């Protein structure tokens, strides 16, 4: 048995949920240990991301630039052969004003690379990351969780005591049960997925070549995700009643289901299935949707698949994991510095997290009505998000993960905007000095000056009209708002 160690927070699991939460808490200077049972890189499903993750949470944790350099396929939206309309229809994230310009895309990622980048970043931000350490149980004393026990790859057992244990251990682990929660499975979404990888599949015409393509057919639906110019992730989802279609030999099952769906068989007409390496296996996964009855208890909080999961057609898994991690990280940071009491901080976390889960869940129920066309889906999105924008904009905000209106998910923070623009500003000053310019035109053209003028104008509007020009407001009556840096909670003034 190793010595009894201590930390502020122990995180179980190094997927996107765990590494995001660990980073957010370490950024506030707390001692965080993350225990991950596997050695990274490791394969995982969940390859199509949303802009809220890429430009919201990942920018807040400081890993967005590294993701931008990794060469992942840019996903500008989605293309669907779905519903009453026999022709495929496409949406672009850029339709929503919350995802304009440089934030109007997400990525299609190889999860082994994406998860490694996030975990390495957590390390870089001061998290004590220990791979090949499997958490066996939580330590509970006097009605509160107070740490974990683990075993490392050499069979050494150890314990770590902490003020908080975060369960981010995904959907297979049973650690969530120690929160006292039960897992409630949806009666509506009970499906099975069979999937593999192909080289040489076709691409949608530009500008949609990086889109996820989802095609519904008699037995279920396919996803078609372009991971690189030549590699494609292909999976079929069938309802539980049709489970026999994916039993038996997986190769035969997938081949015959592809033949049932002309849109996908056409895309794969010149493609070869990958049969080696991490992508060589055909895999089957239950994708039953569930939510736990509780997301936290004193000393313990659940994020990502450990807390909830909803049908994958709109690629919400990593979004819910990283958004849940942001919310839980804020609550932990607030309680550790005693700026908000535990009950209030975690109620805010759970209410916001359940709202986001609920919006996807409710919308997806209407999306499985295949007898209506896309306009009806857009209208449903407006209804479930209670939005005042157009039907299409409401739909795009929802499936982009930004319907909560959280500014941290959409707005580049002021400090960062100035940082990005300061080099441009310095160049403009140099130009004035070097050219002995009489006019200040280069300075006025620089976006930092333009921006300062815009902010000034906004401030005037706010003073004159009392208008909220982009300020954070509570999502619920009497609730909290995010702090200026997005890393903890504040009380609204
Ligand atoms: C068929 C299907 C398709 C999907 N497609 C998409 C998609 O396109 N886009 C999308 O966003 N999502 C998708 N998802 C969902 C996505 O896979 C998950 O929601 C996402 O991976 C959750 O992240 P996480 O961090 O919660 O958990 P995970 O990514 O599962 O990470 C959990 C980590 O915890 C570790 N761990 C487990 N137990 C222990 C332990 N006892 N001790 C220490 N470590 C432990 C695991 O090794 C793992 O690394 C899909 C899911 C399914 C089923």
């Amino acid at each position: 048995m190793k010595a009894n160690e201590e930390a502020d927070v122990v995180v179980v699991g190094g997927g996107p949920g765990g590494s995001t939460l660990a980073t957010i808490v370490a950024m506030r200077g707390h001692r965080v240990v993350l225990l991950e049972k596997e050695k990274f890189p490791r394969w995982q499903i969940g390859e199509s991301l949303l802009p809220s993750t890429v430009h919201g949470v990942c920018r807040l944790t400081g890993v967005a630039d590294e993701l931008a350099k990794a060469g992942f396929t840019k996903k500008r939206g989605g293309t669907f052969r779905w519903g009453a309309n026999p022709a495929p229809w496409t949406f672009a994230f850029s339709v929503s004003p919350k995802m304009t310009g440089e934030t109007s895309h997400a990525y299609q990622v190889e999860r082994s690379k994406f998860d490694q980048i996030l975990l390495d970043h957590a390390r870089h931000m001061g998290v004590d990351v220990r791979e090949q350490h499997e958490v066996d149980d939580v330590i509970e004393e006097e009605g509160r969780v107070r740490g974990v026990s683990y075993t490392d790859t050499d069979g050494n057992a150890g314990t770590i005591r902490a003020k908080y244990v975060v369960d981010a251990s995904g959907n297979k682990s049973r650690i969530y049960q120690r929160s006292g929660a039960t897992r409630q499975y949806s009666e509506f979404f009970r499906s099975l997925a069979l999937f593999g990888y192909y080289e040489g599949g076709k691409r949608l015409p530009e500008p949609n070549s990086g889109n996820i393509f989802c095609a519904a057919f008699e037995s279920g639906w396919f996803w078609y995700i372009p991971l690189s110019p030549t590699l494609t992730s292909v999976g079929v989802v069938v309802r539980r009643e049709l489970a026999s279609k994916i039993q038996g030999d997986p190769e035969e099952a997938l081949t015959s289901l592809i033949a049932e769906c002309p849109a996908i068989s056409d895309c794969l007409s010149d493609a070869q299935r990958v049969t080696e390496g991490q992508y060589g296996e055909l895999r089957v996964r239950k994708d039953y949707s569930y939510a736990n009855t509780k997301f936290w208890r004193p000393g313990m909080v659940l994020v990502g698949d450990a807390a909830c999961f909803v049908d994958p057609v709109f690629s919400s898994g990593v979004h819910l994991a990283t958004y849940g991690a942001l919310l839980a990280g804020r609550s932990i940071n607030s309680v550790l510095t005693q700026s908000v009491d535990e009950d209030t901080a975690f109620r805010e976390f759970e209410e916001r997290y359940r709202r986001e889960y609920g919006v996807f869940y409710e919308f997806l129920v209407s999306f499985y009505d295949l007898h209506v066309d896309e306009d009806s889906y857009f209208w449903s999105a407006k209804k479930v998000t209670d939005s005042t924008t157009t039907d299409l904009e409401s739909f795009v905000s929802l499936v982009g993960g930004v319907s909560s209106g959280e500014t941290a998910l959409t707005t580049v923070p002021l400090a960062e905007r100035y940082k990005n623009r300061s080099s441009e500003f310095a160049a403009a000053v140099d130009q004035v000095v070097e050219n002995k310019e009489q006019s200040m035109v280069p300075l006025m053209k620089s976006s930092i000056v333009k921006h300062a003028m815009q902010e000034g104008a906004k401030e005037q509007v706010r003073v004159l009209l009392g208008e909220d020009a982009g300020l954070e407001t509570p999502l619920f009556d009497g609730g909290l708002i995010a702090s200026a840096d997005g890393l903890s909670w504040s009380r609204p003034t």
Side-chain angles (χ1 to χ4, degrees):
M1 175 75 86
K2 283 189 182 170
N4 200 350
E5 296 178 80
E6 287 197 7
D8 291 319
V9 176
V10 176
V11 179
V12 188
S19 52
T20 298
L21 185 135
T23 304
I24 285 167
V25 177
M27 283 167 83
R28 279 289 178 89
H30 304 298
R31 287 170 306 152
V32 187
V33 180
L34 183 153
L35 304 176
E36 162 57 53
K37 73 173 181 184
E38 304 279 344
K39 173 87 188 117
F40 276 31
R42 57 100 178 86
W43 174 89
Q44 174 61 297
I45 192 64
E47 295 145 334
S48 194
L49 304 186
L50 304 188
S52 56
T53 300
V54 172
H55 302 292
V57 180
C58 290
R59 183 182 33 70
L60 199 84
T61 58
V63 73
D65 288 348
E66 208 159 329
L67 292 177
K69 282 189 256 156
F72 295 127
T73 304
K74 267 193 182 177
K75 169 187 173 185
R76 297 184 198 284
T79 300
F80 284 79
R81 168 52 289 284
W82 199 281
N85 185 350
W89 49 274
T90 292
F91 72 86
F93 293 123
S94 60
V95 162
S96 165
K98 293 178 189 159
M99 294 176 283
T100 50
E102 61 203 49
T103 65
S104 64
H105 69 271
Y107 300 116
Q108 316 285 17
V109 299
E110 295 188 58
R111 282 287 301 273
S112 51
K113 292 183 189 162
F114 176 75
D115 289 18
Q116 176 91 66
I117 292 173
L118 263 52
L119 193 67
D120 286 346
H121 181 68
R123 244 187 215 112
H124 178 71
M125 300 302 278
V127 177
D128 177 355
V129 174
R130 303 183 197 172
E131 294 174 59
Q132 296 177 301
H133 281 59
E134 180 164 1
V135 170
D136 306 311
D137 204 354
V138 303
I139 301 166
E140 191 184 332
E141 284 165 7
E142 295 152 8
R144 191 174 175 92
V145 170
R146 297 190 187 268
V148 298
S149 56
Y150 66 84
T151 312
D152 72 16
T153 189
D154 300 322
N156 301 311
T159 59
I160 305 179
R161 297 180 72 82
K163 294 174 188 125
Y164 283 101
V165 171
V166 178
D167 179 11
S169 60
N171 66 354
K172 289 200 208 99
S173 129
R174 291 289 163 260
I175 291 168
Y176 78 87
Q177 291 172 342
R178 300 291 262 121
S179 68
T182 48
R183 189 158 280 183
Q184 292 189 318
Y185 285 93
S186 159
E187 275 303 318
F188 191 84
F189 297 110
R190 293 207 169 192
S191 312
L192 294 145
L194 166 64
F195 46 97
Y197 295 82
Y198 287 79
E199 273 291 335
K202 289 184 189 160
R203 293 289 173 261
L204 294 170
E206 293 299 346
N208 301 322
S209 66
N211 282 10
I212 184 170
F213 178 41
C214 293
F217 68 114
E218 194 59 29
S219 306
W221 63 274
F222 270 95
W223 74 73
Y224 190 89
I225 301 176
L227 294 177
S228 81
T230 58
L231 180 67
T232 312
S233 166
V234 179
V236 61
V237 176
V238 297
R239 290 186 312 279
R240 186 176 38 168
E241 310 84 85
L242 298 178
S244 58
K245 290 217 172 217
I246 62 171
Q247 276 154 6
D249 178 46
E251 188 84 54
E252 275 173 29
L254 188 57
T255 308
S256 81
L257 284 160
I258 289 171
E260 273 188 44
C261 181
I264 296 296
S265 51
D266 175 52
C267 289
L268 292 174
S269 55
D270 299 325
Q272 301 293 320
R273 191 172 78 73
V274 179
T275 52
E276 286 177 352
Q278 63 167 329
Y279 297 131
E281 204 182 313
L282 288 177
R283 295 170 164 104
V284 176
R285 275 274 297 269
K286 274 200 306 199
D287 75 7
Y288 291 8
S289 301
Y290 55 81
N292 293 351
T293 48
K294 296 203 283 184
F295 287 177
W296 74 282
R297 66 173 281 194
M300 182 175 185
V301 55
L302 316 178
V303 300
D305 282 5
C308 55
F309 173 76
V310 66
D311 183 275
V313 70
F314 277 110
S315 315
S316 49
V318 174
H319 160 67
L320 285 170
T322 52
Y323 181 53
L326 169 65
L327 300 174
R330 282 177 186 163
S331 298
I332 291 173
N333 284 338
S334 304
V335 179
L336 289 182
T337 53
Q338 296 177 350
S339 58
V340 183
D341 65 276
E342 185 173 79
D343 216 50
T344 309
F346 283 94
R347 223 177 29 234
E348 186 71 33
F349 149 75
E350 181 153 348
E351 278 187 34
R352 287 191 186 231
Y353 201 8
R354 282 197 192 279
R355 180 220 165 262
E356 192 67 12
Y357 177 82
V359 157
F360 272 95
Y361 185 96
E362 214 183 307
F363 171 67
L364 281 160
V365 169
S366 59
F367 197 67
Y368 273 88
D369 178 354
L370 296 174
H371 300 102
V372 296
D373 66 14
E374 58 271 28
D375 288 338
S376 168
Y377 302 139
F378 302 161
W379 177 82
S380 296
K382 182 176 164 89
K383 205 173 84 175
V384 303
T385 55
D386 203 13
S387 155
T388 51
T389 63
T390 65
D391 296 2
L392 176 61
E393 248 179 77
S394 310
F395 167 79
V396 172
S397 290
L398 194 164
V399 301
V402 300
S403 74
S404 62
E406 270 258 8
T407 49
L409 298 184
T410 52
T411 317
V412 178
L414 217 55
E416 177 140 333
R417 282 189 305 221
Y418 280 119
K419 193 181 84 196
N420 291 342
R421 285 166 184 163
S422 59
S423 52
E424 184 200 345
F425 181 63
V429 172
D430 287 349
Q431 201 183 332
V432 173
V433 175
E434 275 168 28
N435 300 342
K436 301 200 174 35
E437 292 237 15
Q438 295 304 306
S439 94
M440 297 291 277
V441 170
L443 276 183
M444 301 307 280
K445 273 192 190 155
S446 95
S447 49
I448 198 166
V449 171
K450 272 196 282 185
H451 182 75
M453 290 168 82
Q454 281 162 5
E455 286 293 309
K458 257 198 208 171
E459 202 54 58
Q460 283 176 355
V461 169
R462 229 178 262 157
V463 170
L464 283 172
L465 305 176
E467 193 178 281
D468 175 2
L471 287 178
E472 191 88 24
T473 49
L475 211 50
F476 308 101
D477 280 349
L480 304 172
I481 56 170
S483 60
D485 66 359
L487 299 178
S488 61
W489 297 118
S490 305
R491 293 186 190 278
T493 47

